[in-house]
Amino acid sequence: MSLVFHILTLFPGMFESPFRWGILAKAIQEGKIRVETHDLREYGVGPHRATDDYPYGGGEGMVMKPDPLVAAIEEIRARGAKGPVILLTPQGEVFHQQMAKELASLSDLTLVCGRYEGVDERVRQGWVDQEVSIGDYILTGGELAAMVIVDAVARLVPGVLGNEDSALKDSFEGGLLKYPQYTRPAVFRGMRVPEVLLSGDHGAIARWRRRQALKRTLERRPDLLSKAELDSEDLRFLERLRSEAEG
Ligand code: 9D3
């Protein structure tokens, strides 16, 4: 079980550091994942190795030429890569955890990093399987988005997280935000750890954590509650919070 990320980019140097640390560095060392960058400049057109050109019809900015992108995609394919080609673009479907889970079971994943105003539409039509954005904010290109996707997908590849449950646990917590966490000392600059956590009463601790998670989620991400796994006690507690908020 291993996954190779093929990354097409004009800036391969951007990928040098992010995967050299922590869990991903270990996963690469152990052969569980590989991150291969492909410099689009090497596939550029003409003596200047052009990778962009003016937009037909006029307008602002430059467009990525189709020939370098398709040459790179075809070379990766010819060398045996099987999985989908994903284009990082502000026009894509917004990346989410379920997408990460699905991608983690593949053997190869090709990520195309856009630059300039975007890529020639014919590349999307003929060579791209999926278009993905990482959220509603403007980046300077697809590289950082590709790194986010590698990070989120790689940790779900079997064997990458030491503790196999950790990956599952994210969804096991029922789609709620995490409860507040504390470690020693019990009093820090006059601020005490909640008494219940020191009580040794595991039932009371579990109930407190559940309620804190529900409260936080209601306050910060109420959109998550409609998909969360809630039992009747959770629903009663949320009703209480909502009625308290009304005053
Ligand atoms: C100011 C330029 N914009 C005109 C409406 C278009 C635009 C083109 C290219 C905006 C950003 C970019 C570069 N961004 C990405 O390639 C990108 C991205 C992003 O900006 N946000 C979230 N996810 C992604 S994935 C790729």
Side-chain angles (χ1 to χ4, degrees):
M1 199 91 254
S2 81
L3 200 167
V4 184
F5 297 91
H6 304 269
I7 297 172
L8 275 60
T9 173
L10 283 165
F11 302 115
M14 286 181 73
F15 293 83
E16 274 166 27
S17 150
F19 310 124
R20 287 190 14 229
W21 311 96
I23 289 168
L24 296 195
K26 185 156 171 278
I28 290 168
Q29 248 173 18
E30 293 173 350
K32 306 223 163 81
I33 62 164
R34 256 169 42 214
V35 181
E36 293 186 358
T37 55
H38 305 263
D39 187 351
L40 282 170
R41 179 66 66 181
E42 291 176 13
Y43 303 87
V45 177
H48 296 105
R49 301 224 165 270
T51 56
D52 65 331
D53 206 339
Y54 298 97
Y56 273 121
E60 286 291 294
M62 302 295 273
V63 176
M64 288 180 88
K65 295 171 72 59
D67 358 8
L69 286 164
V70 169
I73 292 168
E74 286 181 344
E75 186 167 309
I76 290 165
R77 271 280 138 76
R79 287 199 230 142
K82 280 164 191 60
V85 174
I86 294 181
L87 174 67
L88 287 316
T89 164
Q91 281 81 47
E93 180 185 353
V94 178
F95 187 64
H96 50 71
Q97 188 65 15
Q98 185 53 37
M99 240 189 248
K101 280 185 193 166
E102 284 161 21
L103 298 175
S105 67
L106 301 171
S107 62
D108 299 88
L109 191 51
T110 300
L111 300 173
V112 180
C113 305
R115 277 275 153 176
Y116 317 117
E117 280 305 294
V119 313
D120 187 288
E121 185 65 18
R122 292 163 293 187
V123 178
R124 305 166 187 268
Q125 288 172 337
W127 289 269
V128 169
D129 299 296
Q130 211 178 336
E131 295 177 47
V132 174
S133 157
I134 59 164
D136 295 337
Y137 35 81
I138 301 174
L139 303 174
T140 57
E143 281 78 8
L144 286 165
M147 293 178 211
V148 165
I149 287 167
V150 170
D151 191 276
V153 172
R155 65 184 284 286
L156 299 176
V157 170
V160 168
L161 289 184
N163 173 8
E164 276 312 283
D165 320 331
S166 305
L168 289 171
K169 195 137 184 238
D170 302 327
S171 60
F172 185 71
E173 300 204 37
L176 297 176
L177 298 185
K178 187 94 181 174
Y179 48 78
Q181 300 179 95
Y182 298 86
T183 185
R184 290 187 289 180
V187 184
F188 174 71
R189 308 242 174 145
M191 303 160 86
R192 303 193 69 84
V193 170
E195 211 54 51
V196 62
L197 298 179
L198 311 176
S199 69
D201 181 342
H202 298 296
I205 291 169
R207 277 192 300 281
W208 181 85
R209 285 180 168 165
R210 184 73 184 175
R211 290 178 171 204
Q212 290 290 317
L214 287 163
K215 183 165 181 285
R216 278 197 164 176
T217 309
L218 180 65
E219 285 166 359
R220 301 180 187 183
R221 294 292 307 277
D223 57 298
L224 296 179
L225 289 172
S226 59
K227 280 191 203 156
E229 296 166 39
L230 304 174
D231 65 19
S232 56
E233 192 182 335
D234 294 335
L235 292 169
R236 258 183 285 132
F237 180 67
L238 284 169
E239 264 324 301
R240 204 177 96 198
L241 289 178
R242 288 195 184 100
S243 62
E244 280 170 11
E246 281 168 35

